[in-house]
Amino acid sequence: MLNKYLDINPEVAEALANGKPVVALESTIISHGMPYPQNVETALTVQNIIRENGAVPATIGIIGGRLKAGMTNEEIEYFGKKGAQIAKASRRDLAVLCARKEDGATTVATTMIIANMAGIKIFATGGIGGVHRGAEVTMDISADLEELAQTPVMVICAGAKSILDLGLTLEYLETHGVPVLGYGTKELPAFFTRKSGFSVDYRMDTPEELAAAFKTQADMGLKGGMLVANPIPEEYSMDETVINKAIADAVEEAKTLGITGKETTPFLLAKIKEITGGSSLESNIQLVFNNVRLASKIAKAYCEN
Ligand code: PSU
Ligand code: MN
């Protein structure tokens, strides 16, 4: 075993040993990003979609202090039911949770770390953390961005929610040398909508092109990951005015209640869902499906390259 804290599930280990495509998935989206039972249904469907697309899913989380690269359906059900009682684990939480033999739902940052330990290159999720609005005062910047700067995993997302300052998030990524690639678009998608008014660094139109760019970065020994922004399918995208109003109200309420630190992102996500009456949840689920489909194709192209 490469790492005495890491358990790679047999199906994932077999795929990695034989150069077959594997797609990593995070577990904060299960425990903190969606309500039960939709969180579990989505997580299990996502794994089926990856299999249908010729890759092997590896849902990542921390159970009893073990780093799991490939959770079982029972473990996913347990994370979904326990919800926010499972600690949200970002980079700074990893060692303490493992030393104490506790559970942890992995964010984008920790999922990247564990995927990299296991040898998984491609990871799909919904949205990443970023630079929060008002960060010039609060300094609230997600550890996800720092991880993208140093860990060689390609992250496929639907852009970032405008609960964040998208302009500052792009500036941060540029400073840290993280390429932001738009799939079929030059515009950064804003999670619930296909448009944000901001540009990505490069537009790419095929999974092969994305895989080749990432392979080249890895071959050169450049540290860090890449971010692929895949716009939500048109038919599931939300009305811009409705979602922007919900986001503005949620941000305002977080400020009033004095929400800070790791609670900020889950609070805003839950609030937005409450305000939009659940229609944002359906969009959220569909964009994740869309991202794992693309990630499976990139993972296949990466293995064939
Ligand atoms: N953004 C979303 N949905 C999510 C998250 C972010 O649209 O579920 C989760 C991801 O796990 C991400 C984490 O890595 O929140 C970022 O949290 P923070 O801002 O505290 O770093
Ligand atoms: Mn934060």
Side-chain angles (χ1 to χ4, degrees):
M1 184 55 59
L2 281 162
N3 179 317
K4 68 174 188 172
Y5 299 98
L6 177 65
D7 293 331
I8 304 182
N9 122 351
E11 187 193 5
V12 173
E14 191 272 336
L16 290 169
N18 293 294
K20 290 191 213 150
V22 177
V23 175
L25 302 157
E26 60 152 304
S27 47
T28 288
I29 191 172
I30 302 174
S31 293
H32 298 263
M34 288 184 194
Y36 181 81
Q38 287 92 340
N39 53 3
V40 173
E41 282 164 23
T42 302
L44 297 179
T45 306
V46 153
Q47 302 205 123
N48 292 336
I49 294 174
I50 292 172
R51 289 204 173 86
E52 283 162 18
N53 282 275
V56 172
T59 300
I60 288 178
I62 305 163
I63 298 180
R66 303 292 306 167
L67 309 178
K68 299 285 180 187
M71 290 165 66
T72 64
N73 289 0
E74 292 68 36
E75 288 167 343
I76 288 172
E77 175 79 27
Y78 165 72
F79 265 44
K81 271 203 177 128
K82 277 214 143 185
Q85 285 169 263
I86 306 266
K88 177 179 155 193
S90 195
R91 174 177 267 271
R92 60 112 189 254
D93 307 293
L94 204 52
V96 174
L97 289 174
C98 287
R100 290 180 165 174
K101 305 199 181 336
E102 290 177 13
D103 299 332
T106 54
T107 62
V108 168
T110 32
T111 304
M112 289 178 74
I113 294 169
I114 298 168
N116 186 46
M117 285 176 180
I120 304 169
K121 306 285 176 198
I122 310 295
F123 160 29
T125 187
I128 59 157
V131 180
H132 278 269
R133 298 191 196 177
E136 61 276 21
V137 175
T138 63
M139 287 183 71
D140 190 350
I141 300 172
S142 174
D144 292 354
L145 300 184
E146 201 55 47
E147 210 56 55
L148 281 161
Q150 58 175 316
T151 301
V153 171
M154 180 175 245
V155 180
I156 292 83
C157 70
K161 288 200 181 83
S162 42
I163 58 172
L164 302 171
D165 187 317
L166 298 183
L168 292 186
T169 299
L170 288 172
E171 292 291 352
Y172 194 97
L173 290 168
E174 182 192 6
T175 300
H176 290 81
V178 179
V180 181
L181 311 174
Y183 185 61
T185 181
K186 187 76 208 333
E187 183 160 355
L188 177 76
F191 197 89
F192 292 120
T193 58
R194 296 170 62 87
K195 293 193 152 49
S196 68
F198 293 97
S199 290
V200 296
D201 303 326
Y202 298 95
R203 170 181 171 154
M204 295 200 176
D205 293 308
T206 64
E208 289 73 23
E209 208 182 345
L210 289 160
F214 186 50
K215 189 120 198 175
T216 304
Q217 179 168 287
D219 284 350
M220 284 177 168
L222 288 176
K223 67 174 189 155
M226 280 191 174
L227 188 63
V228 177
N230 186 28
I232 184 172
E234 193 82 62
E235 63 268 41
Y236 300 110
S237 74
M238 294 186 70
D239 183 281
E240 221 166 309
T241 326
V242 171
I243 192 66
N244 288 344
K245 172 85 169 66
I247 288 171
D249 290 352
V251 169
E252 200 48 52
E253 186 159 347
K255 213 191 276 174
T256 309
L257 295 174
I259 309 280
T260 56
K262 70 193 285 188
E263 304 312 326
T264 305
T265 301
F267 175 86
L268 292 173
L269 300 181
K271 204 75 216 168
I272 289 162
K273 210 200 74 226
E274 187 188 310
I275 297 170
T276 57
S279 73
S280 64
L281 179 60
E282 181 56 20
S283 294
N284 197 346
I285 292 169
Q286 291 296 335
L287 66 83
V288 173
F289 292 167
N290 192 46
N291 292 345
V292 301
R293 262 181 240 119
L294 176 60
S296 304
K297 291 176 189 156
I298 298 171
K300 273 167 76 179
Y302 190 90
C303 287
E304 283 156 15
N305 184 300

